[in-house]
Amino acid sequence: RKFIAGIPNKLKIKGAEYWPYFGSMKGAGVFKHKIILNDPNISKALDQIPPTGLVSRQQFFAFVKYFKMTFEGNCIGTSTRLLSMKRPDTFVCFDSRNRSKLCKDFGIIQSKMDYKRYWDDVVERIYDCEWWQNSIPRSEIEVKIWESRAAFLDSLYYAE
């Protein structure tokens, strides 16, 4: 769990040294604590998102309902990080490192992003994009990229 969550760990297996592969969460104390405790609402939240097919607004807000049982307040960065790992074809992590550029290119107001605005302003715009609506490619490598097409936005907008 710690490895997937981007938290330093003591796994003694090959590849575990790359624990921040999806980004580091070592400074996110509440998140780290809840992962270590294996809070069941994190799994319940993620279970609301289907592994394939179109994710509906209703499914997204069912995720939010369970997520908020563990994390109070507006935890857009943490929640969208988990969503983008579960469904990288649909969700992009929305955090302080990519917010400015992503909002500029998508024509989104940066301030006061909440769960409703994330769905309406980010996910719905992703669904409307031509590159998201394209048919599944034929080549094996292109399929792998296509299956993560929304999460790849982070690589374009992430600011060092």
Side-chain angles (χ1 to χ4, degrees):
R1 288 186 315 273
K2 288 166 69 174
F3 176 77
I4 296 292
I7 299 168
N9 60 76
K10 296 178 181 174
L11 286 175
K12 301 291 185 207
I13 58 173
K14 184 177 178 176
E17 64 273 14
Y18 300 112
W19 60 267
Y21 187 70
F22 294 106
S24 172
M25 294 296 282
K26 71 179 179 180
V30 173
F31 175 73
K32 185 164 69 172
H33 181 70
K34 296 294 185 173
I35 292 294
I36 291 168
L37 292 178
N38 197 20
D39 188 299
N41 288 317
I42 297 171
S43 293
K44 286 179 184 175
L46 288 168
D47 287 345
Q48 305 308 304
I49 304 299
T52 60
L54 195 64
V55 177
S56 72
R57 179 185 187 90
Q58 181 180 1
Q59 291 164 327
F60 173 76
F61 282 102
F63 163 87
V64 171
K65 178 184 118 181
Y66 285 104
F67 188 81
K68 286 176 135 185
M69 289 179 184
T70 297
F71 301 102
E72 294 181 20
N74 188 18
C75 301
I76 293 294
T78 303
S79 62
T80 57
R81 180 181 194 282
L82 292 173
L83 286 166
S84 66
M85 288 192 318
K86 170 122 189 204
R87 287 297 303 275
D89 62 319
T90 302
F91 298 103
V92 59
C93 181
F94 188 90
D95 61 23
S96 62
R97 302 301 292 264
N98 66 10
R99 177 178 52 219
S100 177
K101 292 178 182 178
L102 191 141
C103 286
K104 181 181 178 216
D105 283 358
F106 274 64
I108 299 169
I109 297 169
Q110 278 190 63
S111 63
K112 299 183 182 174
M113 179 61 71
D114 59 15
Y115 296 107
K116 182 184 179 309
R117 284 197 52 227
Y118 178 81
W119 180 265
D120 293 343
D121 294 352
V122 179
V123 177
E124 289 288 339
R125 289 184 192 205
I126 286 172
Y127 280 167
D128 287 340
C129 289
E130 182 180 332
W131 57 262
W132 196 89
Q133 295 177 20
N134 286 341
S135 300
I136 189 166
R138 291 192 173 114
S139 108
E140 189 175 323
I141 188 74
E142 288 177 354
V143 168
K144 288 180 181 184
I145 294 168
W146 185 83
E147 290 173 340
S148 300
R149 60 198 181 276
F152 269 114
L153 290 172
D154 195 37
S155 68
L156 298 174
Y157 296 114
Y158 190 84
E160 293 287 332

